[in-house]
């Protein structure tokens, strides 16, 4: 009789322990599944190309204005910006010798990836005037003798 009572109590404790384990496992699974819904971030991917030739622009710079989020495109001009805050964002794309392009877009809140391609227009780069001077051969040898 005492053994029956002990066995019943053990069964109750085992059932209680099993329920706690089951509840904890369900809670972990629910949090993992619901996490993207609360993420409030999204991704942006695409390709940066030359508008005229349609060639990819390797190492073009893609930045999210007002943040420290940015990267350089790969050798084919492809990029993937991850973990961008959801909502309206301004994307700036630049490449040396090309006119920078700015685009305001809305990043989805559900963690999905938005596709946005950029085609940049080439531009002339104007530099400062460069003056090159030289000395005659005789002057160089005279200066070297004075220095010696």
């Amino acid at each position: 009789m005492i053994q029956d009572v002990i066995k019943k109590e053990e069964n109750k404790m085992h059932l209680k322990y099993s329920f706690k384990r089951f509840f904890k496992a369900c809670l972990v699974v629910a949090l993992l599944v619901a996490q993207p819904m609360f993420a409030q971030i999204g991704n942006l991917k695409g390709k940066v190309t030359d508008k005229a030739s349609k060639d990819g622009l390797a190492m073009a710079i893609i930045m999210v204005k007002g943040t420290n989020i940015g990267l350089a495109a790969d050798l084919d001009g492809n990029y993937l910006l991850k973990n961008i805050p959801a909502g309206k964002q301004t994307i700036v794309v630049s490449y040396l010798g090309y006119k920078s392009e700015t685009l305001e877009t809305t990043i989805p809140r559900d963690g999905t990836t938005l596709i946005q391609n950029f085609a940049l227009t080439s531009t002339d780069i104007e530099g400062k005037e460069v003056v090159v001077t030289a000395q005659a051969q005789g002057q160089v040898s005279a200066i070297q003798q004075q220095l010696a």
Side-chain angles (χ1 to χ4, degrees), residues 52-101:
S53 70
K54 308 292 187 236
D55 291 334
L57 296 177
M59 307 312 262
I61 304 299
I62 303 96
M63 298 285 299
V64 180
K65 191 173 184 178
T67 71
N68 62 352
I69 300 171
L71 53 74
D74 67 11
L75 296 176
D76 296 320
N78 298 308
Y79 71 92
L80 173 60
L81 278 171
K82 294 182 178 182
N83 301 324
I84 304 170
K88 284 192 175 187
Q89 296 292 345
T90 302
I91 310 300
V92 180
V93 180
S94 59
Y95 192 77
L96 185 63
Y98 288 79
K99 184 179 176 191
S100 294
E101 190 171 319

Side-chain angles (χ1 to χ4, degrees), residues 41-44 107-114:
I41 58 171
N43 303 314
L44 183 69
I107 304 299
R109 298 185 182 282
D110 58 2
T112 59
T113 300
L114 180 68

